[in-house]
């Protein structure tokens, strides 16, 4: 069972930046697609971004974060990052990373393995 651990969340002012990390110590992520999802209170979990290591690092972003968030992968460290710039209050949510060997995209049902989440709060 692949275990994922998110880190890097916190409190930031509007316009600020954070970098989230999603790491595993058990297996290489070389053949996985890894995605970031977020869930705000009272809302459904939504896909934010994903990267497919098996497709040469191809990436996908939700419209709401395009131009502000960047996903990247360091396969040597078995870690995927989400760089979040120009954060807005509506970005406040628990952020989860997820992984799958059998596809990629921004739908929750596509992913088999999930981390526990990290809280991101954007507030002045």
């Amino acid at each position: 069972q692949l275990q994922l651990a998110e880190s890097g969340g916190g409190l930031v002012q509007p316009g600020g930046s954070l970098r989230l990390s999603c790491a595993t110590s058990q297996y290489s992520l070389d053949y996985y697609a890894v995605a970031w999802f977020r869930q705000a209170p009272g809302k459904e979990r939504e896909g934010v971004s994903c990267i497919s290591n098996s497709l040469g690092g191809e990436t996908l972003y939700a419209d709401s974060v395009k131009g502000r968030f960047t996903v990247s992968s360091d396969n040597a460290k078995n870690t995927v990052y989400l760089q979040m710039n120009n954060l807005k209050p509506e970005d406040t949510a628990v952020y989860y990373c997820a992984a799958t060997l059998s596809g990629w995209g921004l739908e929750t049902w596509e992913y088999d393995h999930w981390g526990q989440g990290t809280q991101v709060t954007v507030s002045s």
Side-chain angles (χ1 to χ4, degrees):
Q1 179 77 3
L2 182 67
Q3 294 182 337
L4 303 170
E6 304 95 335
S7 61
L11 173 64
V12 63
Q13 292 186 342
S17 298
L18 283 174
R19 188 177 77 160
L20 305 183
S21 299
C22 173
T24 178
S25 58
Q26 304 159 284
Y27 304 106
S28 168
L29 293 176
D30 285 358
Y31 301 104
Y32 284 86
V34 178
W36 288 95
F37 291 83
R38 66 186 181 187
Q39 189 166 19
K43 294 189 176 181
E44 292 188 355
R45 193 170 297 189
E46 63 173 354
V48 174
S49 181
C50 65
I51 185 167
S52 176
N53 289 319
S54 63
L55 294 177
E58 190 166 349
T59 58
L60 187 64
Y61 295 93
D63 288 343
S64 58
V65 306
K66 279 181 182 176
R68 300 188 298 123
F69 290 11
T70 303
V71 63
S72 62
S73 181
D74 186 337
N75 290 350
K77 295 182 178 179
N78 289 332
T79 301
V80 170
Y81 302 99
L82 185 68
Q83 178 67 44
M84 306 186 295
N85 298 328
N86 190 22
L87 282 160
K88 304 176 181 181
E90 51 263 43
D91 295 318
T92 296
V94 177
Y95 283 70
Y96 300 88
C97 66
T100 183
L101 282 171
S102 58
W104 82 309
L106 296 179
E107 299 293 335
T108 56
W109 57 263
E110 296 176 286
Y111 292 86
D112 311 302
H113 310 283
W114 291 83
Q116 294 300 307
T118 185
Q119 176 71 47
V120 171
T121 303
V122 184
S123 175
S124 55

